[in-house]
Amino acid sequence: MPKLASQQCIDPKQHQPTENQLLKALCAEVQERLFPHLELVEMPLGKVLHESGEVLRYVYFPTDCIVSLLYVMENGASAEISVVGHDGMIGIALLMGGESTTSRALVQSAGYAYRLPGQRIKSEFNRHGELLHLMLRYSQALITQMAQTAVCNRHHSIDQQLCRWLLLSLDRLKDNHLVMTQELIANMLGVRREGVTEAAGRLHKQGVIDYSRGHIIVTDRAKLERLSCECYGVVKSETDRLLPLSRHRTESVA
Amino acid sequence: MPKLASQQCIDPKQHQPTENQLLKALCAEVQERLFPHLELVEMPLGKVLHESGEVLRYVYFPTDCIVSLLYVMENGASAEISVVGHDGMIGIALLMGGESTTSRALVQSAGYAYRLPGQRIKSEFNRHGELLHLMLRYSQALITQMAQTAVCNRHHSIDQQLCRWLLLSLDRLKDNHLVMTQELIANMLGVRREGVTEAAGRLHKQGVIDYSRGHIIVTDRAKLERLSCECYGVVKSETDRLLPLSRHRTESVA
DNA sequence: TACTATATGTGCGTTATCGCACAGAGCGTA
DNA sequence: TACGCTCTGTGCGATAACGCACATATAGTA
């Protein structure tokens, strides 16, 4: 196993709200209303943004961190439902009107996020303009991800699921370097740690990843995509369809 | 195995839009705008309301039928993502703005539904009033169901999943009688037909269900709930929380 | 009443994953 | 440099679910 550098260099000064794709997609007018209320917050690994059933006070827009939505069972076992990175937002339940969800939001990869008091975004949401439609589309992308998680859990091997999971994480990071123990991945996938070890070993043998003690580097992304099940592709293309990057002018639904 | 009556008596005349809980929850004003455009349609077993990626022309509000949203894999295997009955609606993607989804909508239990041209509900939705907020809450309930499906697929036995599935279906039917082959259930759960046969046999031995050739009668619902995993309860209580007006018919009839 | 298609029951070897136990390996700190 | 904690590797029996083959039962129809 190769040696990997262990330090991360994150400079808060270089963060911009527009690093988050949802915030970026908003028109200047809405941005002007919202951005002054954004607060850049650190998102350390393991931080819990909300527990199951807890009402959120803030919504979070990740820039370079990754947050998992996961369900924790009565016996403590867990399963990841979906992943949110710079592509999305934590807290759609506030907008949906439910105020809370049955899942826990957990920082899975450290970094930063902008947060906004729940009331701020709710009042913007209730103006029924661009933000509403953007959020609805994002919700649908999230729904697709959840649906595909269900499918993948049912039908695909740990190896395939690991590939999917790595790809989803990779898409939300700046480089090909994940800070992530196998134990954590196992919790996300809802499988044994040993199962992840074996799958990772096979991926390494095939020259797709290098890893060591909580660090994973993807060395052959193309091959990773080939080894993954169809689930990754389904989620990716549907997300791209619903939320084309850059600027999509959200026309009214009707 | 006991003998069961095989005929169903459905009388279209007795159907009312308000049998659907979402339609029922709307205020008189909105009902007056929408109801004249509703069309009662028959929903035979196996009917496909939309394929993956297909744009819907109508949204459907089931009265006494059950519709499964399921994902069909490239190899043809399938997995149910969520269930919709008199508690919900098929076609939220139209409102979300995505226009289509990656799943197929399939009638899993025959009956009737009211349908509405997509444009009609979209324009009501865009009035940004009551319907919008109701639909958002319903979407969150649906999301909860999907999330729990993912969890259940990962962690629970076929026996437990069958219990959950029977309970979810039961809540959307008028009585304790399901018209449903084991083969169909297997497709929904994404497992082998033989696996369902064995699980059903065990439930019968425990006095929970009777069944024969495509008919299942739940004889001990309380026990079924005890045998089910926590997933059913999570979905049920969250749905009740989000949509308190939606009262399950089993309660009002029994 | 007999036939046929469909639904359900059962056996059996195979596989993936699990649960557990413990051995090594790498990094941080004393 | 040595210790200790965390992370990763490996072995092994147990188990749940699979794929396949085929037997049996039932409803509907000829």
Side-chain angles (χ1 to χ4, degrees), chain A residues 3 6 156-158 190-192 194 212-213:
Chain A
K3 271 212 170 182
S6 67
H156 298 136
S157 68
I158 293 184
V191 301
R192 284 184 320 156
E194 295 92 322
S212 165
R213 285 185 72 78

Side-chain angles (χ1 to χ4, degrees), chain B residues 1 3 6 156-158 190-192 194 212-213:
Chain B
M1 300 301 132
K3 272 210 169 187
S6 67
H156 299 136
S157 67
I158 293 185
V191 300
R192 285 184 319 157
E194 296 92 321
S212 165
R213 284 186 74 77

Side-chain angles (χ1 to χ4, degrees), chain A:
Chain A
M1 299 301 132
K3 271 212 170 182
L4 305 176
S6 67
Q7 70 268 30
Q8 309 177 260
C9 308
I10 299 173
D11 180 4
K13 284 170 300 185
Q14 74 187 25
H15 284 275
Q16 296 292 332
T18 51
E19 285 176 75
N20 179 280
Q21 300 304 324
L22 290 181
L23 293 177
K24 184 180 181 182
L26 294 169
C27 67
E29 184 197 339
V30 179
Q31 287 186 349
E32 277 163 31
R33 268 201 301 273
L34 284 185
F35 284 15
H37 305 286
L38 287 174
E39 177 186 1
L40 181 65
V41 287
E42 205 176 337
M43 303 283 267
L45 178 65
K47 178 175 169 123
V48 174
L49 301 185
H50 65 78
E51 280 293 349
S52 158
E54 200 176 297
V55 175
L56 285 82
R57 271 200 292 257
Y58 299 92
V59 295
Y60 294 82
F61 297 91
T63 59
D64 60 353
C65 66
I66 302 181
V67 177
S68 284
L69 302 183
L70 53 85
Y71 178 80
V72 182
M73 299 200 307
E74 288 163 4
N75 68 9
S78 59
E80 186 179 80
I81 302 304
S82 55
V83 193
V84 178
H86 62 76
D87 60 320
M89 162 187 146
I90 294 97
I92 59 164
L94 273 184
L95 303 183
M96 294 290 208
E99 303 288 328
S100 69
T101 69
T102 57
S103 60
R104 167 188 296 176
L106 181 77
V107 177
Q108 180 218 98
S109 178
Y112 288 82
Y114 285 91
R115 73 177 186 188
L116 200 59
Q119 283 309 321
R120 284 283 169 196
I121 194 165
K122 273 203 257 185
S123 59
E124 180 64 39
F125 189 75
N126 287 330
R127 283 173 173 252
H128 302 306
E130 189 188 13
L131 184 83
L132 167 67
H133 296 291
L134 182 64
M135 289 299 143
L136 290 178
R137 282 177 160 264
Y138 174 65
S139 297
Q140 195 181 337
L142 211 54
I143 285 172
T144 303
Q145 204 186 135
M146 293 179 186
Q148 218 58 33
T149 301
V151 171
C152 205
N153 282 352
R154 161 64 53 223
H155 290 288
H156 298 136
S157 68
I158 293 184
D159 289 53
Q160 289 174 306
Q161 291 183 55
L162 177 59
C163 292
R164 167 181 64 86
W165 194 88
L166 288 173
L167 288 165
L168 285 176
S169 295
L170 222 52
D171 285 348
R172 288 161 180 79
L173 291 171
K174 288 179 168 147
D175 54 19
N176 58 349
H177 181 181
L178 292 91
V179 180
M180 192 68 54
T181 67
Q182 297 182 357
E183 175 95 42
L184 181 54
I185 297 178
N187 286 337
M188 294 301 148
L189 296 183
V191 301
R192 284 184 320 156
R193 193 269 313 162
E194 295 92 322
V196 174
T197 296
E198 288 169 7
R202 284 187 285 267
L203 283 182
H204 176 69
K205 202 171 288 176
Q206 293 174 84
V208 179
I209 61 173
D210 285 345
Y211 61 98
S212 165
R213 285 185 72 78
H215 295 260
I216 304 176
I217 290 183
V218 176
T219 52
D220 188 345
R221 184 184 164 123
K223 196 162 186 178
L224 190 60
E225 294 192 16
R226 281 200 302 280
L227 291 172
S228 173
C229 49
E230 65 198 80
C231 296
Y232 168 71
V234 170
V235 171
K236 177 90 166 67
S237 59
E238 184 70 353
T239 300
D240 290 348
R241 181 180 80 85
L242 292 166
L243 302 162
L245 284 190
S246 68
R247 173 136 328 175
H248 70 281
R249 285 277 164 239
T250 42
E251 69 288 1
S252 183
V253 194

